Amino acid sequence: MSRLRLILGDQLNLNHSWFKETNSSVTYVMMEVKDETNYVLHHAQKIIATFAAMRFFANQLRSKDLEVIYLKINDKENRQNFYENIKSIVKKRNFSQLEYQNPDEYRLMTELQKLHSIEDIKAVPVDSEHFLIPKLYAKEFFSEKKHWRMEEFYRHMRKKFSILMEGEKPIGGKWNYDVDNRKRWDGSPSSTQDFRPSHNHEKIFLEINDENIEYFGESQATDFRWPISRDESIELLENFIEKDLLYFGDFQDALHDENWRLFHSFLSFSLNTKMLSPIEVIKKAEDAYKKKDLPLASTEGFIRQILGWREYIRGVYWANMPGYDQHNFFEHKNKLPEWYWTGKTDMRCLSQSISQSLTNAYAHHIQRLMVIGNFSLLAGINPKEVHQWYLGIYIDAYEWVELPNTLGMSQFADGGMLATKPYVSSASYINKMSNYCAKCKYNFKEKVGENACPFNSLYWNFFDRHQDKLSKNPRLGIVNSQLKKMNPTQKEQINKKAEFYLKNLNTL
Ligand code: FAD
Ligand code: DLZ
């Protein structure tokens, strides 16, 4: 039986059991297609990094004497979508079976289901062997519960995989050290790691341009930092564990305009393209904790992101698709301000976070959640637009992980399935965690003055205009009672200021 096996751009898992077989009648196929580059407007680096990593992977397979058909974006016979390309390959060569690894996105699952209708070939889906649990595991775990609490799921995962455990109990006696992980960073300790593989991606970039593929972001950054192979990803992981894991926890939520990485790992692209497996990252961190005496709070904080959040988020996605992208709990309709595409706003926290995202296709979690996401929610931006922006801009963005994070966690558009309350704050939180506000045109202390920081009036206005939906939320008791007690004249002034900002979002 001759088999054709499709590998997608985010299925670069060298340890997949496919590659352990010794079967000479197997041909692999990989393809760069416009259907994938164009389903949303992408950052240039995301397209380049995907193609570079795919090409590297194909060559690695060839070096193991495996046969690979690889369609580049500019190949003449490339029909620019999976279905048409496969149909034409099957027609030319006499394959009897087509195998594909289950994709992680609903959109692509629907697309690949069409492959089952190709005549004379049997299509067979297989597991991508990447995640720790099946995609509907979380749905069964939470069953009929309305609210899905990550912490409950995370404790279950710690026990199930015996990570940081002493028998049935968590090492150190506590499950979660989040409260210890909220320090501001003011220049020390210095963040030393800048592991950066060196590549020249100019050729790929030219091909993308010649094919008129649209993109945004730092287009000249053809020597960007993202790893494109498993070896480079392992080096990145080892560097992180050696130099940064120690401080990861303490400064996880910190923001600084001279240090956009701080002690974050940059591992999301490697993980999401499957160059690294989640369990190997978790185990390496756990081993380092045990052998090197790293702080438990840091190690636990890091492991929680992958063992807890990442698997949980994937569960939320598959339990709610299709349809999750349609939620709009607050019925927000505003358009994304134009400066989301340029970074040109006088709000320094946003100009720093967005400019950095445009330059590097990266922002760390708190920039995504408490700066850009926070503002988007306060400003009443349509969550679908926010979702598409996040899906395009970040190097690690795939719908299965981006959509629940953006629409659910950050925009509360699902009405609180993931989050117990909306992740919004006034300027005081941003000032507490960052040095952004000190050099900003806007005054973070003011609510209504001429240069009052927009976050402040928008914050109170948000709660005021959504009282029908939020007044009974038990986690918002303090804010709701402050709102009730607010002097009516002051409230009116705040709302007036907020309305002015809402009308002038493009000029902030
Ligand atoms: P670190 O801070 O070093 O964390 C280590 C790893 O933990 C990450 O690589 C990631 O695999 C995992 N992780 C941490 N938080 C989460 C989370 N909330 N959900 C899933 N995994 C998590 N992550 C993506 O991988 N792709 C996305 O498209 C994405 N979109 C996001 C959108 C919003 C609005 C928010 C608030 C978060 C989003 N995240 C996304 C989660 C998180 O911000 C990124 O995983 C992280 O910033 C990636 O950088 P890092 O590898 O340096 O992470
Ligand atoms: C992100 C991406 C891009 C930009 N291009 C391709 C491509 O040309 N070919 C491909 O196989 N995969 C690409 N990808 C990754 C896919 O979008 C990813 O495999 C799906 O979204 C499934 O999660």
Side-chain angles (χ1 to χ4, degrees):
M1 180 169 61
S2 61
R3 287 183 241 188
L4 181 65
R5 285 177 171 169
L6 171 67
I7 301 171
L8 300 177
D10 66 347
Q11 295 178 338
L12 311 181
N13 175 5
L14 262 192
N15 291 320
H16 194 278
S17 52
W18 270 357
F19 311 119
K20 291 181 184 125
E21 289 171 16
T22 44
N23 189 337
S24 56
S25 62
V26 172
T27 302
Y28 292 92
V29 59
M30 298 177 76
M31 51 188 91
E32 299 166 6
V33 287
K34 289 188 183 167
D35 262 15
E36 290 308 299
T37 58
N38 298 355
Y39 65 86
V40 75
L41 185 63
H42 276 118
H43 195 296
Q45 288 183 32
K46 187 173 167 197
I47 305 174
I48 298 171
T50 306
F51 287 4
M54 286 173 69
R55 291 180 189 191
F56 193 93
F57 190 79
N59 286 335
Q60 268 183 311
L61 296 187
R62 285 184 182 130
S63 71
K64 290 174 185 279
D65 285 335
L66 298 172
E67 189 193 348
V68 183
I69 300 172
Y70 192 97
L71 288 174
K72 285 192 178 167
I73 195 74
N74 57 357
D75 278 346
K76 289 225 164 48
E77 64 271 35
N78 191 339
R79 290 156 195 239
Q80 304 297 348
N81 79 57
F82 293 119
Y83 176 77
E84 291 299 335
N85 278 334
I86 288 181
K87 222 166 86 175
S88 128
I89 293 168
V90 166
K91 214 170 162 190
K92 274 193 223 136
R93 304 246 321 242
N94 213 8
F95 292 106
S96 48
Q97 186 150 303
L98 165 68
E99 295 172 9
Y100 63 90
Q101 296 177 24
N102 277 318
D104 293 322
E105 293 189 346
Y106 189 85
R107 173 187 66 81
L108 217 65
M109 188 183 89
T110 320
E111 189 59 33
L112 296 192
Q113 271 162 359
K114 289 191 209 150
L115 299 175
H116 292 254
S117 68
I118 299 179
E119 273 175 30
D120 301 328
I121 193 158
K122 187 175 169 220
V124 180
V126 303
D127 193 345
S128 72
E129 300 173 11
H130 175 72
F131 292 93
L132 296 166
I133 45 175
K135 65 183 180 193
L136 295 178
Y137 188 95
K139 188 177 179 186
E140 282 163 29
F141 177 80
F142 287 108
S143 186
E144 298 300 307
K145 284 191 181 155
K146 189 171 166 222
H147 301 292
W148 287 28
R149 298 293 162 246
M150 202 293 290
E151 184 62 26
E152 202 184 320
F153 173 79
Y154 167 58
R155 291 180 188 190
H156 172 79
M157 293 292 277
R158 287 270 295 276
K159 287 190 227 159
K160 184 173 168 63
F161 290 93
S162 198
I163 303 291
L164 294 180
M165 297 294 291
E166 261 166 352
E168 281 296 292
K169 296 215 168 95
I171 287 185
K174 277 201 321 188
W175 289 101
N176 184 319
Y177 290 82
D178 213 18
V179 282
D180 300 343
N181 290 348
R182 290 180 192 160
K183 290 204 176 83
R184 187 187 150 101
W185 185 79
D186 281 313
S188 136
S190 67
S191 135
T192 48
Q193 178 215 323
D194 197 19
F195 168 73
R196 204 191 150 107
S198 164
H199 296 285
N200 187 340
H201 296 302
E202 232 169 281
K203 191 165 164 283
I204 296 181
F205 189 46
L206 276 176
E207 290 169 8
I208 290 169
N209 280 315
D210 285 349
E211 286 301 311
N212 296 319
I213 291 170
E214 286 189 26
Y215 52 80
F216 71 111
E218 175 54 70
S219 54
Q220 298 315 315
T222 48
D223 67 340
F224 55 74
R225 63 188 319 116
W226 305 108
I228 58 159
S229 68
R230 176 164 166 80
D231 283 352
E232 287 176 1
S233 302
I234 290 174
E235 210 177 328
L236 181 65
L237 169 63
E238 285 172 352
N239 258 281
F240 166 74
I241 289 183
E242 170 87 21
K243 298 178 182 143
D244 294 309
L245 179 54
L246 170 66
Y247 303 117
F248 175 86
D250 275 353
F251 303 105
Q252 198 179 336
D253 290 0
L255 304 150
H256 201 279
D257 63 4
E258 280 151 32
N259 192 335
W260 56 279
R261 184 182 69 85
L262 286 162
F263 303 96
H264 290 274
S265 69
F266 282 162
L267 288 170
S268 48
F269 180 67
S270 300
L271 277 164
N272 295 353
T273 50
K274 326 294 193 297
M275 294 190 286
L276 289 179
S277 85
I279 198 68
E280 75 179 314
V281 177
I282 292 166
K283 290 267 185 206
K284 277 218 163 114
E286 188 190 33
D287 269 10
Y289 160 73
K290 288 182 177 160
K291 289 185 190 137
K292 294 191 182 164
D293 212 16
L294 290 170
L296 180 57
S298 244
T299 315
E300 185 282 314
F302 178 70
I303 286 178
R304 183 175 357 107
Q305 307 309 315
I306 302 174
L307 181 65
W309 278 110
R310 189 167 183 270
E311 297 285 329
Y312 162 86
I313 285 284
R314 173 176 177 251
V316 170
Y317 179 76
W318 280 105
N320 290 285
M321 286 301 282
Y324 194 67
D325 55 348
Q326 302 303 317
H327 289 293
N328 188 351
F329 180 66
F330 293 119
E331 297 173 52
H332 281 166
K333 294 195 175 77
N334 284 340
K335 297 209 70 67
L336 210 63
E338 286 155 14
W339 42 261
Y340 272 56
W341 305 100
T342 63
K344 290 193 174 125
T345 163
D346 287 329
M347 289 178 282
R348 194 167 160 80
C349 55
L350 280 153
S351 75
Q352 288 286 315
S353 302
I354 292 177
S355 302
Q356 169 211 306
S357 303
L358 291 166
T359 310
N360 301 302
Y362 179 89
H364 73 62
H365 190 67
I366 294 301
Q367 290 174 311
R368 295 187 205 197
L369 185 66
M370 293 312 293
V371 180
I372 308 171
N374 184 2
F375 183 82
S376 307
L377 181 52
L378 293 180
I381 315 290
N382 184 331
K384 206 162 187 179
E385 282 198 36
V386 183
H387 148 57
Q388 285 176 340
W389 184 84
Y390 275 90
L391 186 58
I393 196 165
Y394 292 116
I395 194 74
D396 51 33
Y398 297 88
E399 197 183 74
W400 67 267
V401 51
E402 177 279 329
L403 182 66
N405 268 303
T406 305
L407 206 103
M409 189 190 315
S410 152
Q411 299 303 293
F412 206 77
D414 61 4
M417 182 183 176
L418 262 108
T420 46
K421 63 181 171 110
Y423 278 100
V424 285
S425 79
S426 65
S428 73
Y429 171 83
I430 296 174
N431 182 55
K432 192 172 109 198
M433 298 310 298
S434 80
N435 70 343
Y436 294 148
C437 304
K439 294 182 216 156
C440 185
K441 167 189 145 175
Y442 293 106
N443 187 334
F444 70 92
K445 289 183 184 151
E446 285 185 18
K447 294 189 186 68
V448 293
E450 199 195 340
N451 282 336
C453 173
F455 276 86
N456 292 336
S457 52
L458 290 176
Y459 175 80
W460 288 109
N461 178 260
F462 169 81
F463 286 108
D464 195 36
R465 70 180 192 266
H466 291 307
Q467 273 297 285
D468 57 332
K469 295 193 161 101
L470 299 176
S471 64
K472 295 203 173 71
N473 183 317
R475 296 227 31 225
L476 294 172
I478 296 177
V479 94
N480 284 330
S481 87
Q482 280 176 324
L483 195 65
K484 264 198 199 119
K485 282 189 219 142
M486 198 180 270
N487 170 316
T489 320
Q490 191 194 9
K491 197 200 273 185
E492 198 188 318
Q493 284 171 342
I494 291 174
N495 280 336
K496 225 168 138 191
K497 187 78 191 172
E499 275 150 29
F500 171 80
Y501 284 146
L502 287 172
K503 275 203 193 103
N504 293 283
L505 287 175
N506 278 328
T507 60
L508 292 180

